[in-house]
Amino acid sequence: MKKINHKAVWLVILISQILPFIWYIFFSELWIELNNISIEKINIFPFNAFIVGILSSISLSYMMAWIYERMNVNGLKDGLITAFIIGFPIAILNYMTVLLFSFRPYALVWLDGGINLILWVIAGGIIGTWKK
C-alpha cells in the first residue's frame, strides 16, 4: 500500500457516493416503476444499505488502486480502458445474469449497472492518472 495514492482513492470514494445520488434523482421514477416499489417503501430509510454502499466503495476503490499498481496502469487512457475491461463484466454482465435469472426487468441492467460502470471508468481514470 506504499505506492497507493490515498487521496485519489478517497476522491473516488466520495464521487461514488455523490454521482449515484444525482443519477437516481434523474431516474427515480423509472427505477421505482421497474422495481415495483411503493412510495411508502421508498420513505423507509435503509441505513444498512448506505453502510454497505460505503464499505463497497472503499473496498472496490482500494482494490482498483492495488491492481493498477501491480499491473503498472499509468495515465488516463490506460486507466479508463483497464477500468472498462474489468468493470463491464462485473457491473453489467454479472448484474445482467442475476437480474435475468430473477425475472427482473432488463432495463434495470442499464439503469443500475450503467451507473456502476460509469463509476468504474471514472475511478479508473482518476486512479490511473493521479499517482503518488
Side-chain angles (χ1 to χ4, degrees):
M1 293 262 229
K2 291 179 186 177
K3 295 181 183 179
I4 290 177
N5 184 341
H6 297 281
K7 289 179 183 176
V9 170
W10 282 96
L11 175 61
V12 167
I13 293 165
L14 181 64
I15 291 169
S16 71
Q17 299 307 304
I18 295 169
L19 196 57
F21 178 77
I22 295 167
W23 177 271
Y24 287 107
I25 286 174
F26 287 106
F27 296 109
S28 61
E29 289 180 24
L30 178 60
W31 185 85
I32 290 168
E33 178 187 327
L34 291 171
N35 281 290
N36 197 23
I37 296 176
S38 68
I39 295 299
E40 293 78 28
K41 188 130 184 173
I42 292 290
N43 290 328
I44 299 171
F45 187 76
F47 184 75
N48 57 345
F50 287 100
I51 297 298
V52 171
I54 292 167
L55 291 174
S56 175
S57 295
I58 293 168
S59 299
L60 287 169
S61 299
Y62 272 103
M63 179 193 72
M64 180 178 278
W66 185 81
I67 289 170
Y68 274 32
E69 194 58 44
R70 271 129 194 92
M71 290 177 57
N72 199 27
V73 175
N74 289 305
L76 181 61
K77 181 180 175 187
D78 207 15
L80 294 173
I81 291 170
T82 305
F84 184 82
I85 290 169
I86 294 171
F88 185 78
I90 294 170
I92 301 297
L93 297 179
N94 184 50
Y95 191 54
M96 185 183 299
T97 303
V98 171
L99 287 180
L100 294 177
F101 274 109
S102 301
F103 301 100
R104 305 288 307 280
Y106 176 73
L108 280 173
V109 170
W110 301 105
L111 185 60
D112 292 335
I115 186 60
N116 286 320
L117 183 58
I118 290 167
L119 289 170
W120 270 90
V121 173
I122 290 171
I126 292 170
I127 292 171
T129 303
W130 191 8
K131 300 291 184 176
K132 253 187 165 174

